[in-house]
Amino acid sequence: MSDSDGKKTLGLGGGSRSGNVKQSFSHGRTKNVVVETKRKRVVVPKQGAGKSSAGGTARTGDPSRRPAGISDAEMERRLKALQAAKAREVVEAREREAEEIRRAEERDRLRAEKEQKEREQREAEERARAKAEEEERKRAEEEAAAKRAAAVVVAAPEQQQPAERKPESSPRGGIKPAPQEPVQRKSEREREQQARAPRSKAHDEGRRAGKLTLNQALTGGEGGRQRSMAAMKRKQERARLKAMGAMEREKIVREVQLPDTIVVSELANRMAERVADVVKSLMNMGMMVTQNQPIDADTAELIIEEFGHKAVRVSDADVEDVIQQEADKPEDLQPRPPVITIMGHVDHGKTSLLDAIRNTNVTSGEAGGITQHIGAYQVQTKDGAVLTFLDTPGHAAFTSMRSRGAQVTDIVVLVVAADDSVMPQTIEAINHAKAAKVPMIVAINKIDKPAANPTKVRTELLQHEVVVEQMSGEVQDVEVSAVTGEGLDELLEAIALQAEILELKANPNRAAEGAVIEAQLDVGRGPVATVLIQNGTLRQGDIFVVGEQYGKVRALVNDKGERVQEAGPSVPVEVLGLNGTPEAGDVLNVVETEAQAREIAEYRHNVAKEKRAAAGAATTLEQLMKKAKDDENVSELPVVVKADVQGSAEAIVQALEKVGNDEVRVRVIHSGVGAITETDIGLAEASGCPVIGFNVRANASARAAANQKGVEIRYYSVIYDLVDDVKAAASGLLSNEIRENFIGYAEIKEVFKVSGVGKVAGCLVTEGVARRSAGVRLLRDNVVVHEGTLKTLKRFKDEVSEVQSGQECGMAFENYDDIRPRDVIEIFEREEVERKLA
């Protein structure tokens, strides 16, 4: 608290229970002690300026100077509190002084450490500078020595004179010492030393000025943001080059890859030149272009040569060079399991035979007991040998599937039923095997049936140049029964023997390469491809390109449904991780990066799109007119096809394209794999066609859209029924056939003129019958002169509907009167016959 006369109050003993004790000062002299209690304020007078007893208690003997109402004990207590407050002040002051001393010592220590570091850094820089100077001095000495050696070589012819070569003798009979170094050489050395001394000092100052010290880095420097070490090094390098005489930088000649067309900015980037310089060069050639405009390869090549670089022509097809692999070394090849394809006519027991070998039952899962897909399986025999089997469909629509099976196989097992002999698809399988140049083994199945005749099968095979061993040929034949299991061991033994002869080998330690056997769009897993690895090893995580699609292997599933980490040669696996459904028969190649795979897939997609556009386009005016005329005369049945796997979709499309003739044809607007979606329904509605689902169903939204828009959805599980129904629908587009049935002939005997009617022919029906509703032709000398209908048919005076043979009648033609005696009237009827496609 402060008084009005300028008194300063110092708080003491603020924590006491009795109150606060304060000492009041005025002009540097102590006057009173003020004690503030919770109830009242008491002023304690002092007897002297700061006088107290040795024990720390004030003199209290004079009652007149003591404030009224304060006892001796209270006064003693208050004085003790005042003394304790003063003692605390002294202790706090000492602590503050000790803290200040400690902080000062810490600052001195940090300053000393910093100075020590700076001193060490300066010493290191001085040592480095001294070392550099020493190296520079040695280099100067070496250069001087080289100059002296060159001077000696130049002066050698002059030194060969006898007067100079002969040393002068001293008066004492000795030889005079060698002459001192020439004055010119000495002056050169002095000039070098004089030039080096001031240069090193200035150089040191320049080097020190641009260096970043530890102190500058820690304190942030004077100006805040400083240059980086790289910038300082560049500055020093420029200064050094400037001091050495600013040498001209050597131009780097680059090989510039040049496609068919290239953008100006990309061309400048590949040449490492400024875009403005390239645009200027093009303008000098008369081409007003900007940096974003493309130019042709010839112009770009001129620009590249003008800038001193080399042009390397490339094409879009070069992107596939990354998948071209070298031939394997013989020491890297290892034995691999054989790939056996089961082929034959439909219902000859191919899948049943394979089930007997695998001890499974696949046939029960096929619609109608007919194989609709290619199945890939691995079987381990009793001897421990591993065999890979491919089961192909036998139906006529699956020609492409059988062809693919023959292309990726090592051995073909031709299954022929002993009770059915050689059939059309059996002949086709023989042709596929011969075209693929693979060995064949004939399995004569169903020998357990009473009507089995294996000899007839062997005989009929001779007609197709297949001579079995029992007929003194080279083709192995085995009689088997898938029901009883008879002959299965002999069949496996024949396969093992044939595989041993082939000596099948592959290199598993390389990037994988395989063929797509089947592909489908699976709900939940996305696009799935069944791939047969032909060379190398496919591992989880590999990046690959297959046809127009690419992807990264997310998972590998073998034929037993188990997940595996890798698949070697001759191993069939399901590959997950594609970005789309590939075509069956596409080749799978592993590449290094996803960018390469994407680039290759995009290139292949563009090429395929151009091919499809070129195939459907007319190239000349005549072709365009002919195509337009054909389209007018041909009725089309458009359909949308969705199947469960890619191979089935391809087979259905090929089968439907064969349906039709010159008047009607089936056009597949869209085909794909997977469930029927709302997009398919929209496409079908726009085209006015049905949607055909083969082993797939429409989802809920697609069904609702189909009911709303009136689009027909047909489901099939057997390809026979699908093709037959489409044929029947296409047959409905055919116009009915008009057939003429001749029912009679009549000869004109006489011509009469009747008023109101015109000319009437008196006729005799010579053959058949004459009907009023029939059509007639008038023949004169066996030449048709008129064709029309009858206006009237009378017998005597009555109008009749028909006249029998041998009777006379009167006939009049509709709108025709040029009739003569002895003309012949041909009477016929027309009927429409509904046509069907074969």
Side-chain angles (χ1 to χ4, degrees):
M1 78 183 274
S2 61
D3 298 331
S4 61
D5 56 354
K7 296 177 183 179
K8 186 178 180 182
T9 304
L10 178 64
L12 302 173
S16 64
R17 288 179 298 173
S18 60
N20 296 331
V21 181
K22 298 183 180 180
Q23 188 170 3
S24 180
F25 297 90
S26 177
H27 305 291
R29 295 179 298 171
T30 305
K31 293 175 64 180
N32 298 315
V33 176
V34 181
V35 179
E36 291 183 357
T37 64
K38 295 180 179 179
R39 298 179 181 179
K40 60 183 178 179
R41 183 174 182 268
V42 181
V43 180
V44 183
K46 298 281 287 188
Q47 292 184 359
K51 295 181 181 180
S52 62
S53 62
T57 59
R59 296 175 183 177
T60 59
D62 192 357
S64 62
R65 295 188 179 186
R66 183 186 308 157
I70 298 178
S71 63
D72 293 343
E74 179 68 18
M75 192 67 184
E76 184 74 20
R77 187 182 58 77
R78 293 181 180 181
L79 292 176
K80 284 182 179 180
L82 179 61
Q83 186 178 7
K86 289 183 177 181
R88 277 197 302 275
E89 281 186 3
V90 173
V91 172
E92 290 175 357
R94 288 177 180 173
E95 289 179 354
R96 284 195 298 271
E97 184 179 358
E99 180 66 21
E100 291 178 358
I101 293 172
R102 187 184 63 78
R103 289 180 179 177
E105 291 177 351
E106 181 68 19
R107 283 195 298 271
D108 293 342
R109 185 180 63 80
L110 291 176
R111 188 182 300 110
E113 290 179 355
K114 186 161 50 175
E115 291 176 354
Q116 177 66 20
K117 290 180 180 179
E118 292 179 355
R119 187 165 52 252
E120 292 176 355
Q121 186 176 0
R122 284 196 299 272
E123 291 176 356
E125 291 175 355
E126 289 175 358
R127 288 195 297 271
R129 187 167 57 253
K131 184 177 179 181
E133 291 176 356
E134 180 66 21
E135 293 178 354
E136 189 175 355
R137 185 183 61 79
K138 290 181 178 180
R139 187 167 60 253
E141 290 180 355
E142 291 175 357
E143 291 176 357
K147 290 180 180 179
R148 287 196 298 271
V152 170
V153 172
V154 172
E158 298 178 359
Q159 293 177 0
Q160 290 179 0
Q161 297 178 3
E164 294 182 4
R165 293 186 56 145
K166 184 176 181 181
E168 297 181 2
S169 301
S170 63
R172 296 180 182 180
I175 299 175
K176 286 187 177 182
Q180 297 295 325
E181 193 172 5
V183 179
Q184 182 181 1
R185 206 173 299 165
K186 185 175 181 181
S187 62
E188 289 178 358
R189 185 181 304 170
E190 290 176 356
R191 280 199 304 272
E192 289 177 0
Q193 292 177 356
Q194 290 174 2
R196 188 163 58 246
R199 178 183 174 278
S200 61
K201 184 176 180 180
H203 185 62
D204 294 344
E205 292 177 358
R207 286 169 61 89
R208 288 289 300 125
K211 285 194 175 292
L212 178 66
T213 62
L214 181 63
N215 187 21
Q216 291 175 350
L218 292 175
T219 59
E222 297 178 357
R225 183 175 178 182
Q226 298 292 329
R227 279 185 170 185
S228 64
M229 289 294 294
M232 293 183 181
K233 289 181 179 179
R234 289 195 296 269
K235 183 178 178 181
Q236 292 177 357
E237 182 67 18
R238 287 194 297 269
R240 187 179 68 82
L241 293 176
K242 186 177 180 181
M244 292 177 62
M247 293 187 301
E248 185 71 20
R249 188 176 66 177
E250 183 180 358
K251 184 175 181 64
I252 301 175
V253 178
R254 291 179 170 83
E255 290 187 354
V256 182
Q257 292 188 352
L258 187 59
D260 296 335
T261 58
I262 188 171
V263 181
V264 175
S265 57
E266 178 64 20
L267 177 61
N269 186 26
R270 294 186 181 186
M271 293 191 300
E273 302 286 352
R274 295 173 61 245
V275 179
D277 295 340
V278 177
V279 173
K280 181 179 178 182
S281 179
L282 286 168
M283 288 183 176
N284 291 335
M285 296 172 59
M287 297 181 62
M288 300 298 145
V289 296
T290 63
Q291 63 176 355
N292 297 324
Q293 285 182 310
I295 58 176
D296 60 287
D298 296 334
T299 306
E301 187 172 0
L302 293 176
I303 296 297
I304 293 170
E305 292 176 355
E306 183 178 344
F307 280 89
H309 300 289
K310 296 180 180 179
V312 179
R313 290 290 187 104
V314 296
S315 64
D316 294 338
D318 292 342
V319 297
E320 294 193 351
D321 291 344
V322 296
I323 61 177
Q324 292 180 358
Q325 299 172 344
E326 298 179 356
D328 296 319
K329 298 180 180 178
E331 57 269 17
D332 297 335
L333 299 178
Q334 299 179 10
R336 65 171 177 86
V339 179
I340 302 101
T341 300
I342 309 294
M343 302 177 73
H345 192 71
V346 62
D347 202 26
H348 274 203
K350 299 182 296 300
T351 306
S352 301
L353 182 62
L354 188 56
D355 287 343
I357 297 174
R358 299 176 62 235
N359 295 322
T360 58
N361 189 9
V362 176
T363 307
S364 60
E366 297 285 358
I370 302 170
T371 301
Q372 314 280 346
H373 318 117
I374 286 186
Y377 315 97
Q378 268 202 327
V379 177
Q380 188 170 6
T381 62
K382 297 178 182 179
D383 301 334
V386 178
L387 307 176
T388 301
F389 283 95
L390 297 181
D391 184 18
T392 61
H395 186 263
F398 297 99
T399 301
S400 57
M401 284 192 182
R402 287 190 293 273
S403 176
R404 283 196 301 275
Q407 288 171 1
V408 300
T409 190
D410 300 316
I411 302 170
V412 169
V413 174
L414 181 64
V415 179
V416 186
D419 61 342
D420 201 12
S421 192
V422 177
M423 299 298 287
Q425 269 63 60
T426 308
I427 301 171
E428 184 186 308
I430 294 172
N431 295 333
H432 283 315
K434 289 182 178 179
K437 297 181 179 179
V438 292
M440 187 189 311
I441 298 175
V442 177
I444 304 175
N445 196 16
K446 301 184 181 181
I447 61 169
D448 58 306
K449 287 192 173 184
N453 189 357
T455 306
K456 179 183 176 184
V457 173
R458 296 186 181 98
T459 305
E460 291 189 358
L461 287 175
L462 291 174
Q463 301 175 6
H464 306 285
E465 300 179 359
V466 178
V467 185
V468 298
E469 289 181 343
Q470 288 196 12
M471 296 288 184
S472 302
E474 297 180 354
V475 178
Q476 300 183 72
D477 64 314
V478 183
E479 297 181 4
V480 295
S481 173
V483 177
T484 62
E486 181 182 351
L488 294 181
D489 293 337
E490 289 80 359
L491 178 61
L492 294 177
E493 183 180 350
I495 293 172
L497 177 61
Q498 188 67 54
E500 186 177 352
I501 295 174
L502 294 176
E503 296 182 354
L504 303 171
K505 293 183 178 181
N507 181 12
N509 302 318
R510 60 174 292 176
E513 180 181 348
V516 176
I517 302 300
E518 197 60 270
Q520 60 182 344
L521 187 62
D522 197 336
V523 178
R525 297 195 300 172
V528 180
T530 302
V531 179
L532 177 66
I533 308 301
Q534 295 173 311
N535 206 355
T537 302
L538 183 65
R539 297 178 175 84
Q540 188 171 344
D542 284 349
I543 299 170
F544 61 89
V545 58
V546 48
E548 301 176 26
Q549 312 298 334
Y550 69 96
K552 184 177 182 180
V553 180
R554 287 196 291 109
L556 297 173
V557 183
N558 62 9
D559 60 315
K560 300 178 181 63
E562 303 168 348
R563 285 205 171 191
V564 294
Q565 295 298 320
E566 60 181 25
S570 301
V571 177
V573 287
E574 285 187 342
V575 178
L576 281 71
L578 293 101
N579 71 324
T581 307
E583 298 288 337
D586 287 342
V587 178
L588 181 143
N589 294 99
V590 173
V591 296
E592 295 180 358
T593 62
E594 188 174 354
Q596 291 178 348
R598 187 185 302 108
E599 189 176 7
I600 295 171
E602 289 177 356
Y603 165 72
R604 291 177 176 176
H605 176 71
N606 293 333
V607 171
K609 185 167 65 174
E610 291 174 0
K611 285 183 178 179
R612 286 192 293 268
T619 56
T620 63
L621 182 61
E622 290 78 8
Q623 291 177 349
L624 185 64
M625 297 293 290
K626 184 177 183 300
K627 186 175 185 300
K629 186 177 179 180
D630 292 342
D631 291 341
E632 289 179 0
N633 298 331
V634 177
S635 300
E636 286 187 344
L637 174 63
V639 292
V640 174
V641 177
K642 294 298 286 291
D644 55 344
V645 295
Q646 187 68 41
S648 297
E650 182 184 2
I652 292 170
V653 171
Q654 292 178 354
L656 295 183
E657 287 177 350
K658 295 177 182 178
V659 174
N661 52 22
D662 296 338
E663 299 179 32
V664 65
R665 65 188 176 195
V666 178
R667 183 165 65 95
V668 180
I669 296 176
H670 171 69
S671 65
V673 295
I676 299 172
T677 62
E678 196 171 354
T679 306
D680 302 325
I681 301 300
L683 179 61
E685 182 202 15
S687 304
C689 64
V691 179
I692 296 175
F694 185 75
N695 287 334
V696 294
R697 294 294 181 267
N699 53 34
S701 60
R703 288 196 299 270
N707 293 332
Q708 180 182 359
K709 298 175 181 179
V711 176
E712 182 184 8
I713 302 177
R714 292 195 175 190
Y715 300 115
Y716 298 94
S717 58
V718 179
I719 197 170
Y720 288 119
D721 301 335
L722 188 153
V723 176
D724 291 343
D725 285 0
V726 173
K727 278 185 179 181
S731 299
L733 298 177
L734 290 173
S735 58
N736 291 335
E737 183 180 357
I738 306 298
R739 291 184 182 177
E740 292 183 354
N741 295 325
F742 297 99
I743 59 175
Y745 288 93
E747 183 180 355
I748 299 178
K749 297 295 185 179
E750 191 63 49
V751 178
F752 304 95
K753 289 185 180 181
V754 179
S755 60
V757 179
K759 290 184 178 182
V760 177
C763 305
L764 174 64
V765 179
T766 59
E767 183 180 348
V769 62
R771 288 196 179 97
R772 169 74 178 79
S773 59
V776 291
R777 291 191 184 96
L778 183 62
L779 306 180
R780 187 172 295 159
D781 298 329
N782 292 325
V783 177
V784 178
V785 295
H786 173 69
E787 180 177 347
T789 58
L790 290 177
K791 183 167 59 173
T792 178
L793 176 64
K794 289 186 177 183
R795 176 165 173 76
F796 301 107
K797 293 183 180 182
D798 300 327
E799 189 78 26
V800 294
S801 59
E802 65 178 28
V803 177
Q804 297 294 329
S805 175
Q807 298 179 354
E808 294 181 349
C809 63
M811 297 183 187
F813 291 88
E814 191 79 36
N815 300 325
Y816 189 77
D817 288 336
D818 185 15
I819 54 177
R820 302 175 186 175
R822 303 187 66 179
D823 286 350
V824 178
I825 298 175
E826 185 180 67
I827 307 160
F828 61 91
E829 287 183 344
R830 288 191 177 97
E831 65 174 346
E832 293 186 355
V833 179
E834 184 179 348
R835 292 191 297 164
K836 293 184 179 180
L837 292 173

